[in-house]
Amino acid sequence: MNLRDLTYLVSLAEHRHFGRAAEASFVSQPTLSTQIKKLEDELGVALVERTPRKVLLTETGREIAGRARAVLAEVDEIRAIAQRTRDPEAGKLRLGVFPTLGPYLLPHLVPLVRQRFPRLELLLIEEKTEQVIRMLREGSLDTGLLALPLHEESLHAEFLFEEPFVLAVPDDHPLARRKARLKLADLEDESLLLLEDGHCLRDQALELCQLAGAGEKVGFRATSLETLRQMVAANVGITLLPTLAIKPPVARTGNVQLLEFAGNAPSRRIALVWRKSSSLGPFLKRFADVVRSLPAGLLKPELCEPAGAARRKRA
């Protein structure tokens, strides 16, 4: 038994297909199949059920694959310890980020990271929150950018910033004519367009709806913020957008007014998260400081004047 064979088994468990597992492992399919069979012979148990269309792991195979994944994560930690000892700011960093944050934060963050850590290879993985947490637990990610709160005892969360929400409405919506900033009570009896299940922004928006006495627009759930934005532009309804999603380089959208909330605006709290057992903890605290060095104006919605604001001022 060797680490290479355990890697093949874990890949097969993830892909459930010899060809795709071999491709992900950068070997030929016969090579991977042969090594899996040798591993079965060495252990004296069947790990895989081979069917014409797909591959299923036996119950024993699933348990061993889970333990192999943990072993490989520990090996990665050993390598990381050695790498960080040689050069704390070089090597690879696998960063997970959820879809309603990544496309809007990373254009601002990546240049800062490259400037502060020029020898760091930053590998970016965009997945929904539950998947990022799973990958952190399993060791296939080093750290993640996630929204608080988290309920994972094995993970450390380093608070970074609070990002306010704005309300996006069509130009002819009654709320678009307001001159004062919004209050939560203004959303009473409104129906908001929301994301599909699995997005943490959906849960945050539902919580806000409950506080404001608003509801969800029935019959539609978006897969992305950009879909929500275009549905507002098409006069289908109104929605919440995080501040970073309305800042350049995001292009303005016609027939969309962006309205700020007064006082303590609804917001989400973003943190850098990593395993408490990770050897990268000290370095990740420095990485968190880089995220905190983002220009403060990025998180102030009033610095991004909504489309139509100039017309209201002239009026």
Side-chain angles (χ1 to χ4, degrees):
M1 188 188 309
N2 55 52
L3 294 177
R4 179 191 58 191
D5 294 342
L6 296 183
T7 301
Y8 293 160
L9 179 62
V10 169
S11 182
L12 190 60
E14 291 176 354
H15 295 280
R16 305 294 179 90
H17 187 277
F18 276 103
R20 289 193 292 270
E23 183 178 356
S25 302
F26 304 102
V27 297
S28 67
Q29 180 173 333
T31 296
L32 185 137
S33 181
T34 298
Q35 293 305 123
I36 294 293
K37 184 65 172 65
K38 286 182 179 179
L39 184 59
E40 289 179 316
D41 291 343
E42 179 178 352
L43 296 174
V45 294
L47 302 175
V48 179
E49 295 180 20
R50 296 165 174 83
T51 66
R53 294 186 178 180
K54 61 182 178 179
V55 172
L56 299 175
L57 266 67
T58 64
E59 182 177 351
T60 300
R62 289 193 298 270
E63 182 177 354
I64 291 176
R67 292 180 179 271
R69 191 178 289 112
V71 168
L72 294 172
E74 288 297 324
V75 170
D76 283 343
E77 286 294 324
I78 291 171
R79 290 177 177 144
I81 291 171
Q83 173 63 38
R84 298 303 169 187
T85 301
R86 294 194 304 270
D87 192 347
E89 296 179 358
K92 295 181 180 180
L93 184 70
R94 300 166 298 177
L95 172 66
V97 60
F98 57 95
T100 62
L101 178 66
Y104 312 106
L105 174 64
L106 294 176
H108 305 284
L109 176 60
V110 170
L112 293 178
V113 172
R114 291 179 63 187
Q115 181 180 13
R116 175 63 181 83
F117 306 115
R119 290 169 293 130
L120 182 70
E121 184 178 357
L122 186 62
L123 305 179
L124 302 170
I125 296 93
E126 185 179 276
E127 292 285 356
K128 291 181 180 179
T129 295
E130 288 186 2
Q131 178 75 351
V132 172
I133 291 174
R134 182 186 69 81
M135 294 175 74
L136 283 169
R137 285 198 305 256
E138 293 177 352
S140 52
L141 285 177
D142 299 308
T143 186
L145 287 162
L146 296 173
L148 297 174
L150 291 177
H151 304 287
E152 290 287 332
E153 290 296 325
S154 64
L155 299 179
H156 170 79
E158 188 85 2
F159 173 73
L160 298 173
F161 58 81
E162 192 154 352
E163 182 185 15
F165 293 124
V166 298
L167 186 71
V169 303
D171 285 347
D172 61 357
H173 193 278
L175 289 175
R177 295 189 290 272
R178 286 180 56 92
K179 295 183 179 179
R181 294 185 179 185
L182 292 175
K183 298 178 181 178
L184 283 183
D186 295 326
L187 299 183
E188 188 174 1
D189 298 327
E190 294 283 352
S191 295
L192 272 66
L193 298 165
L194 301 182
L195 292 168
E196 64 183 1
D197 290 333
H199 290 277
C200 61
L201 184 56
R202 171 181 172 80
D203 298 331
Q204 294 154 354
L206 284 173
E207 183 178 350
L208 176 63
C209 287
Q210 186 176 13
L211 290 172
E216 177 181 3
K217 190 172 184 65
V218 178
F220 174 81
R221 291 183 182 180
T223 57
S224 71
L225 284 185
E226 296 314 305
T227 303
L228 286 179
R229 198 191 312 265
Q230 295 306 320
M231 295 301 285
V232 173
N235 287 314
V236 175
I238 66 176
T239 195
L240 291 170
L241 293 176
T243 295
L244 286 170
I246 65 171
K247 295 298 182 78
V250 179
R252 296 285 182 86
T253 305
N255 194 39
V256 175
Q257 297 281 341
L258 303 173
L259 309 179
E260 299 171 44
F261 288 89
N264 293 324
S267 62
R268 61 183 181 184
R269 303 176 73 243
I270 304 299
L272 189 69
V273 180
W274 62 86
R275 293 180 301 282
K276 292 179 179 178
S277 61
S278 174
S279 63
L280 300 180
F283 168 73
L284 291 172
K285 285 184 178 291
R286 297 199 297 276
F287 189 90
D289 289 336
V290 174
V291 185
R292 294 191 187 102
S293 71
L294 288 164
L298 284 175
L299 301 173
K300 294 182 179 179
E302 66 270 17
L303 296 185
C304 182
E305 187 177 56
R311 295 197 301 271
R312 291 199 301 273
K313 288 178 181 177
R314 288 195 297 270

